[in-house]
Amino acid sequence: MAVETLSPDWEFDRVDDGSQKIHAEVQLKNYGKFLEEYTSQLRRIEDALDDSIGDVWDFNLDPIALKLLPYEQSSLLELIKTENKVLNKVITVYAALCCEIKKLKYEKVKIWFFMLLFKATDSSMVEGDCQIQMGRFISFLQELSCFVTRCYEVVMNVVHQLAALYISNKIAPKIIETTGVHFQVKVI
């Protein structure tokens, strides 16, 4: 069976009758309806789950509860991977500083808690009790001093890193081009 080839002068008449546009609009409307139905179905499921989750644990009846949070198993260095090696280093430095600031924030809460527990001495204390109480307080004062020193070091490091990044000296080489870069302000 021989296959006949069409001659080059045989062309289909490509008349745009608008059928493709109409078909695309119909599909778009169907997709919109599907999304609306799917969204309402998800909202119904979410509402049903919210009601049932609230009934499971009662603070007055159950003194213990589990708090399940996702745990990130990736290290900071695995999350920061771009093609630009200099950018990787800059982002790694700032990410490490942010992690250090977060650790200091939690340490601050522990120190405040201890300061709230420390009670002031009254005049009716027996001789020697004040000295014993002050001796127990010295370790906390040492920890507080180390905390303040560490906060100072971290803040100085942040300032030095920002100064190195935004250097305005024309002679010194730029680490990375920072014109038009603005950091977001986040209140801790």
Side-chain angles (χ1 to χ4, degrees):
M1 185 168 177
V3 177
E4 293 182 21
T5 59
L6 297 175
S7 65
D9 49 324
W10 175 265
E11 294 282 331
F12 287 106
D13 188 16
R14 296 185 182 232
V15 176
D16 185 18
D17 60 353
S19 62
Q20 288 182 341
K21 185 177 180 183
I22 293 171
H23 181 68
E25 288 175 0
V26 168
Q27 290 300 321
L28 188 61
K29 286 180 185 178
N30 288 341
Y31 184 68
K33 288 178 186 177
F34 168 75
L35 281 179
E36 287 175 10
E37 292 172 5
Y38 189 68
T39 303
S40 65
Q41 183 182 11
L42 286 176
R43 282 194 185 127
R44 286 193 305 268
I45 291 171
E46 186 179 55
D47 291 340
L49 287 176
D50 283 344
D51 293 340
S52 65
I53 289 175
D55 297 338
V56 172
W57 184 72
D58 184 15
F59 180 74
N60 297 322
L61 299 176
D62 303 323
I64 298 174
L66 293 176
K67 187 174 183 182
L68 301 174
L69 296 174
Y71 178 72
E72 183 66 46
Q73 295 181 357
S74 300
S75 71
L76 186 63
L77 295 175
E78 291 173 0
L79 294 174
I80 302 171
K81 285 194 177 184
T82 64
E83 298 295 322
N84 189 343
K85 301 260 185 212
V86 175
L87 181 63
N88 286 348
K89 291 177 183 178
V90 171
I91 291 174
T92 303
V93 166
Y94 286 112
L97 285 172
C98 288
C99 289
E100 183 69 25
I101 290 170
K102 188 181 248 186
K103 288 178 187 175
L104 288 173
K105 183 179 87 168
Y106 291 122
E107 185 73 20
K108 171 191 73 171
V109 171
K110 186 175 87 171
I111 288 175
W112 280 354
F113 181 72
F114 188 80
M115 288 178 76
L116 289 174
L117 291 178
F118 179 73
K119 65 176 187 172
T121 60
D122 54 357
S123 59
S124 65
M125 291 187 87
V126 181
E127 181 67 31
D129 285 346
C130 292
Q131 288 81 1
I132 292 172
Q133 191 173 6
M134 191 61 192
R136 291 181 182 148
F137 194 64
I138 287 178
S139 65
F140 169 73
L141 291 176
Q142 176 64 35
E143 188 176 337
L144 182 63
S145 174
C146 292
F147 174 75
V148 170
T149 304
R150 184 68 186 142
C151 287
Y152 176 78
E153 290 171 354
V154 169
V155 168
M156 287 299 293
N157 195 353
V158 168
V159 170
H160 284 260
Q161 294 297 331
L162 286 172
L165 188 63
Y166 285 108
I167 192 163
S168 63
N169 190 354
K170 302 289 183 192
I171 300 169
K174 281 198 167 256
I175 298 171
I176 194 169
E177 183 60 39
T178 57
T179 53
V181 175
H182 302 285
F183 289 106
Q184 299 290 326
V185 176
K186 181 179 176 185
V187 179
I188 298 175

